[in-house]
């Protein structure tokens, strides 16, 4: 029987939740330290067995939220009660607790009733967070926000609109699984540039690095700061890790909407390439891209 894939409570766009059933079959056995430079929502480390975990993301708020949530390991009810108190304070719907949208609103807005019901409360919660940053508020903004994104404007204000979602059974289960997983975990969260993060670590022969960098040729919101120079910098550093005998695996997008990531395609020919059945979907376009090709590249078990 295959082990169930744990879903991150971040529901991060680009998260590897749907791919972990495939990817963890390709990860090596006997991992001493699991290392992840682009952690995002965390589905990858949540579904990997290791003695120790060191995970990083350049986004301060992503790491801050991981640290906040993980600090409640062993205190699940306390965390949930704090969330429920805030949900009730702002008057948000919470389908998990049967705090639902009125039937007349469901009939009027058949597919978007959550966004209409929660818009005013969400706007007030967003204003309160921008006045005084509170990570519990930020987590609720992520849960109730459009596509579960964390997005700030040029002035540093959280500016994501309300989404057509609420605190449901999936959210509850994801929180419980995350906090349960964290209880016995030796994990360190880091907020640095990926190369600075990797260069400061010590490795042994059973260390393993999994990388899921921004995809150069996709249009997702969190990829906008990634460019050709960063792609080349990453590939060169992976060659250095390979020369030092350090195991790694990396996911990336080779083809997408007529574009080809030529840099990664040429670099990957040195290593083992696995095609991933991903049905790639981006933040800006939720239709499945049949012309997209996502791959997993490793430097262990050479051809």
């Amino acid at each position: 029987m295959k082990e169930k894939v744990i879903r991150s409570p971040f529901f991060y766009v680009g998260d590897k939740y749907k791919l972990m059933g495939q990817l963890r079959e390709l990860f090596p056995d006997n991992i001493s330290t699991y290392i992840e430079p682009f952690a995002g929502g965390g589905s990858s480390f949540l579904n990997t067995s290791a003695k120790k975990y060191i995970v990083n993301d350049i986004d301060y708020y992503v790491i801050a939220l991981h640290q906040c949530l993980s600090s409640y390991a062993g205190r699940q009810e306390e965390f949930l009660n704090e969330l429920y108190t805030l949900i009730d304070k702002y008057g948000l719907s919470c389908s998990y607790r049967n705090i639902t949208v009125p039937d007349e609103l469901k009939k009027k807005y058949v597919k978007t009733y959550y966004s209409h019901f929660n818009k005013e409360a969400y706007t007030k919660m967003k204003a309160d967070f921008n006045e005084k940053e509170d990570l519990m508020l930020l987590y609720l903004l992520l849960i109730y926000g459009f596509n579960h994104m964390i997005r700030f404007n040029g002035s540093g204000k959280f500016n994501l609109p309300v989404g057509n979602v609420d605190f449901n059974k999936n959210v509850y289960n994801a929180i419980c699984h995350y906090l349960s997983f964290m209880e016995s975990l030796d994990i360190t969260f880091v907020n640095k540039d990926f190369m600075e993060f990797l260069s400061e670590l010590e490795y042994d022969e059973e260390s393993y690095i999994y990388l899921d960098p921004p995809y150069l040729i996709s249009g997702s919101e969190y990829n906008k700061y990634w460019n050709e120079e960063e792609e080349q910098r990453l590939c060169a550093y992976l060659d250095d890790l390979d020369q030092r005998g350090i195991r790694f695996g990396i996911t990336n997008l080779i083809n997408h909407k007529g574009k080809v990531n030529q840099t990664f395609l040429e670099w990957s020919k040195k290593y083992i390439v696995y095609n991933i059945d991903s049905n790639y979907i981006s933040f800006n376009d939720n239709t499945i891209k049949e012309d997209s090709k996502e791959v997993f590249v490793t430097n262990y078990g050479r051809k």
Side-chain angles (χ1 to χ4, degrees), residues 97-121:
R97 296 161 63 221
N98 295 316
I99 302 173
T100 59
V101 176
D103 288 341
E104 59 268 25
L105 207 62
K106 289 183 178 180
K107 291 176 182 177
K108 185 175 181 180
Y109 303 104
V110 177
K111 295 183 179 180
T112 58
Y113 51 83
Y114 280 128
S115 62
H116 282 85
F117 181 82
N118 289 318
K119 183 177 181 180
E120 184 177 344

Side-chain angles (χ1 to χ4, degrees), residues 71-85:
S71 72
Y72 284 87
R75 299 185 292 138
Q76 176 181 305
E77 290 305 314
E78 181 181 343
F79 179 74
L80 289 168
N81 286 334
E82 287 188 32
L83 290 182
Y84 296 155
T85 298

Side-chain angles (χ1 to χ4, degrees), residues 11-46:
F11 307 100
Y12 203 82
V13 175
D15 187 82
K16 287 294 173 283
Y17 166 67
K18 291 183 178 180
L19 301 187
M20 285 314 299
Q22 298 175 69
L23 291 176
R24 65 186 179 189
E25 294 296 319
L26 302 173
F27 284 8
D29 296 324
N30 302 318
I31 300 173
S32 59
T33 304
Y34 175 84
I35 299 161
E36 190 170 1
F38 307 96
S43 282
S44 302
F45 72 76
L46 287 171

Side-chain angles (χ1 to χ4, degrees), residues 46-286:
L46 287 171
N47 289 284
T48 304
S49 178
K51 296 175 183 175
K52 182 170 69 172
Y53 301 75
I54 308 176
V55 298
N56 172 78
D57 201 281
I58 198 169
D59 189 316
Y60 164 79
Y61 290 103
V62 167
I63 294 301
L65 282 172
H66 275 299
Q67 291 172 324
C68 175
L69 266 67
S70 63
S71 72
Y72 284 87
R75 299 185 292 138
Q76 176 181 305
E77 290 305 314
E78 181 181 343
F79 179 74
L80 289 168
N81 286 334
E82 287 188 32
L83 290 182
Y84 296 155
T85 298
L86 289 172
I87 287 170
D88 295 343
K89 172 186 175 181
Y90 288 97
L92 294 158
S93 69
C94 183
S95 54
Y96 177 73
R97 296 161 63 221
N98 295 316
I99 302 173
T100 59
V101 176
D103 288 341
E104 59 268 25
L105 207 62
K106 289 183 178 180
K107 291 176 182 177
K108 185 175 181 180
Y109 303 104
V110 177
K111 295 183 179 180
T112 58
Y113 51 83
Y114 280 128
S115 62
H116 282 85
F117 181 82
N118 289 318
K119 183 177 181 180
E120 184 177 344
Y122 179 89
T123 301
K124 177 66 169 66
M125 186 165 63
K126 180 164 60 175
D128 287 349
F129 171 78
N130 284 329
E131 182 177 334
K132 184 180 180 181
E133 292 191 359
D134 180 325
L135 289 173
M136 296 294 279
L137 285 182
L138 180 59
Y139 181 62
L140 283 180
L141 288 170
L142 182 150
I143 293 303
Y144 286 83
F146 179 71
N147 271 8
H148 304 297
M149 294 291 289
I150 301 174
R151 192 181 72 185
F152 292 80
N153 62 23
S155 301
K157 301 296 184 182
F158 186 89
N159 70 341
L160 196 74
V162 68
N164 190 43
V165 288
D166 84 339
F167 192 107
N168 55 31
K169 186 176 181 180
N170 287 336
V171 176
Y172 174 85
N173 287 338
I175 289 171
C176 293
H177 290 150
Y178 182 95
L179 294 180
S180 176
F181 186 80
M182 288 293 177
E183 278 193 60
S184 59
L185 211 62
D186 180 356
I187 186 164
T188 302
F189 292 106
V190 183
N191 172 221
K192 293 183 178 180
D193 169 77
F194 76 89
M195 191 174 291
E196 181 184 359
F197 165 69
L198 290 173
S199 64
E200 293 178 353
L201 298 178
E202 294 183 1
Y203 304 92
D204 61 41
E205 61 182 11
E206 292 188 346
S207 296
Y208 177 63
I209 304 171
Y210 169 63
L211 307 97
D212 183 39
Y215 288 175
L216 184 65
I217 57 174
S218 81
S220 293
E221 176 74 16
Y222 61 90
N223 294 347
K224 62 186 178 182
Y225 300 116
W226 195 258
N227 55 37
E228 180 70 32
E229 183 180 347
E230 292 292 278
E231 193 84 357
Q232 292 174 356
R233 189 165 72 114
L234 175 59
C235 290
Y237 196 80
L238 290 177
D239 285 338
D240 178 64
L241 290 175
D242 181 60
Q243 290 295 315
R244 292 156 56 191
I246 300 167
R247 300 177 299 177
F248 66 76
I250 177 171
T251 40
N252 211 325
L253 202 58
I254 296 291
N255 303 316
H256 181 60
K257 297 177 71 172
K259 297 179 182 178
V260 178
N261 185 341
Q262 202 66 41
T263 295
F264 192 84
L265 176 62
E266 291 303 317
W267 171 85
S268 67
K269 292 177 181 178
K270 307 172 191 176
Y271 304 102
I272 294 182
V273 180
Y274 298 91
N275 292 328
I276 299 297
D277 182 16
S278 66
N279 290 332
Y280 179 77
I281 295 175
S282 73
F283 166 73
N284 294 313
D285 185 350
N286 286 327

